[in-house]
Amino acid sequence: MSFDELLADLQGQKANQNDPNHVSLDQLFNESFMSKHSNFNSFSSFVEKGNFQVETQADVDNIPDELFDRHVARETDFADWKSMLDTATKEYENK
């Protein structure tokens, strides 16, 4: 499962709706995960706190890595976005 596939279903987008391997960000970064690793209950609240305008996959792709990594490090118990994404993916797959 690629990063692009994980992001395709951001805020209502259903581009990979028929793909059984597709996981939405809301599923991946569910309330339990976000509460455990941050002070947020949802991924959308997390990105809103960083003043990121995220409505599409392109919006996420266009966030400069350095800015998003800083936001992740400041607002979660992860050092960067890749660590957060990798952990969420592993936890989801081990459910």
Side-chain angles (χ1 to χ4, degrees):
M1 181 179 338
S2 75
F3 178 74
D4 289 341
E5 289 170 337
L6 293 173
L7 296 178
D9 192 7
L10 184 60
Q11 294 187 353
Q13 286 195 343
K14 303 290 184 190
N16 291 321
Q17 187 171 16
N18 297 325
D19 181 355
N21 295 319
H22 175 74
V23 179
S24 73
L25 286 176
D26 287 337
Q27 289 174 304
L28 194 63
F29 299 106
N30 59 51
E31 184 176 342
S32 173
F33 179 88
M34 292 305 295
S35 295
K36 179 178 172 184
H37 297 288
S38 74
N39 290 324
F40 300 96
N41 291 327
S42 70
F43 186 75
S44 59
S45 296
F46 166 73
V47 294
E48 286 172 17
K49 168 74 174 181
N51 293 319
F52 299 112
Q53 300 298 317
V54 177
E55 294 181 18
T56 67
Q57 176 182 345
D59 293 339
V60 174
D61 292 342
N62 288 331
I63 298 172
D65 292 341
E66 181 181 316
L67 289 179
F68 209 40
D69 284 347
R70 247 188 278 149
H71 181 60
V72 168
R74 184 174 48 244
E75 300 293 340
T76 72
D77 56 7
F78 298 102
D80 56 35
W81 169 240
K82 183 176 181 342
S83 299
M84 184 175 173
L85 180 62
D86 289 348
T87 300
T89 301
K90 286 176 188 165
E91 287 185 17
Y92 182 84
E93 289 173 348
N94 291 327
K95 276 187 176 181

